[in-house]
């Protein structure tokens, strides 16, 4: 399961309430980027494809992406 914040407030709630030690956290160094949590409750090895999707989600849901700064 992948969870993502929609704004600064939901990003903060996501981290404080839903991020556990076994989860992976993703965030772009871009203004307005979503905080993304890849849940891993069973502490299993996460597939690379899942990590790539979570990382892409963090970049796509940013102000920079919406402004056309993408590659």
């Amino acid at each position: 399961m992948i969870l993502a914040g929609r704004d600064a407030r939901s990003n903060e709630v996501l981290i404080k309430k839903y991020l556990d030690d076994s989860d992976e956290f993703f965030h772009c160094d871009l203004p307005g980027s979503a905080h993304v949590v890849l849940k891993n409750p069973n502490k299993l090895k996460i597939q690379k494809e899942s990590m790539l999707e979570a990382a892409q989600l963090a970049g796509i849901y940013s102000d920079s992406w919406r402004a056309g700064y993408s590659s």
Side-chain angles (χ1 to χ4, degrees):
M1 179 185 328
I2 297 175
L3 306 173
R6 300 177 79 190
D7 53 27
R9 180 180 159 91
S10 63
N11 281 342
E12 186 175 336
V13 170
L14 180 68
I15 299 308
K16 288 183 177 180
K17 189 172 182 181
Y18 296 104
L19 182 65
D20 296 320
D21 290 339
S22 62
D23 300 335
E24 296 291 330
F25 173 76
F26 298 87
H27 181 67
C28 287
D29 219 8
L30 299 169
S33 175
H35 288 185
V36 177
V37 175
L38 179 57
K39 298 297 290 178
N40 188 14
N42 298 324
K43 299 182 182 181
L44 301 173
K45 183 177 178 184
I46 299 174
Q47 296 179 357
K48 288 183 181 181
E49 293 83 13
S50 297
M51 294 182 82
L52 180 61
E53 288 176 3
Q56 289 173 337
L57 180 67
I60 290 170
Y61 286 97
S62 69
D63 292 342
S64 296
W65 184 274
R66 285 185 285 273
Y69 298 107
S70 63
S71 61

